[in-house]
Amino acid sequence: MMTIWQNLDSSNNKATQIVEQIRLHIEQQQLKPGDKLPPQRQLAERLAVTVGTISRAYAQAELQGLIESKTGSGSYVKSPTNYQQQWGSLKGNNQHIELWQNTAFTQARAQQLVPLLQNYAQAGEQLDQLLDNDHSQNLVAQRESVCAWLNQSSSCFKPEQLFLVMVPSMG
């Protein structure tokens, strides 16, 4: 496995370059889910960097969902996330849609969101109406607006099937 690692460019952030190599090797299937990454010290020697650089790279790759580290065992390539299930998928008896999950954006996740965001961009005025923060509008009208938007994509939601929750923004 050590032969897949490329020498690093000294003009760019080395930890970021290592993360990009991990991402590229996963995309090219040179690294597959469950594959164990080299120990940090071994990879540091191979790439002529400090162990701290490898630690930062592995931590960044883990935050981006590329790998998972197991204490005492090592770091492993993660199985790909089912983004359809994670973002707005139908759950259980198909009467509820889960849009509550707040997850960080990574390059891999952003690519999976392109079709969803394109749909949002095409929604135009109707999306503006859905996202309007005028809370004086009654709840039934909000549910009807959400249903009309969801049902554009062959869904069959009824206003009484929706449960809307409004929470303050944290920021």
Side-chain angles (χ1 to χ4, degrees), residues 130-139 142 165-169:
L130 290 175
L131 299 177
D132 186 5
N133 286 332
D134 179 6
H135 299 298
S136 63
Q137 182 183 17
N138 72 40
L139 196 54
Q142 289 176 336
V165 178
M166 297 184 195
V167 295
S169 297

Side-chain angles (χ1 to χ4, degrees), residues 73-167:
S73 176
S75 297
Y76 299 85
V77 176
K78 280 183 79 170
S79 296
T81 303
N82 181 342
Y83 292 102
Q84 181 180 2
Q85 183 179 14
Q86 187 171 350
W87 288 305
S89 66
L90 296 175
K91 303 284 185 179
N93 60 6
N94 292 342
Q95 292 186 6
H96 303 284
I97 190 164
E98 302 289 340
L99 297 173
W100 56 269
Q101 197 167 22
N102 183 9
T103 57
F105 274 87
T106 63
Q107 192 171 16
R109 287 180 175 159
Q111 291 171 357
Q112 299 291 329
L113 288 174
V114 167
L116 177 64
L117 295 175
Q118 287 173 336
N119 287 340
Y120 286 166
Q122 294 170 0
E125 188 177 313
Q126 190 173 18
L127 182 61
D128 290 342
Q129 183 182 5
L130 290 175
L131 299 177
D132 186 5
N133 286 332
D134 179 6
H135 299 298
S136 63
Q137 182 183 17
N138 72 40
L139 196 54
V140 173
Q142 289 176 336
R143 289 181 186 189
E144 289 171 349
S145 293
V146 170
C147 283
W149 182 72
L150 289 171
N151 291 339
Q152 288 178 356
S153 61
S154 303
S155 298
C156 299
F157 291 98
K158 297 177 184 170
E160 59 272 14
Q161 291 176 305
L162 295 180
F163 180 74
L164 302 178
V165 178
M166 297 184 195
V167 295

Side-chain angles (χ1 to χ4, degrees), residues 45-61:
E45 289 172 8
R46 163 65 181 90
L47 297 176
V49 296
T50 66
V51 173
T53 298
I54 303 298
S55 295
R56 281 190 300 282
Y58 279 16
Q60 288 175 16

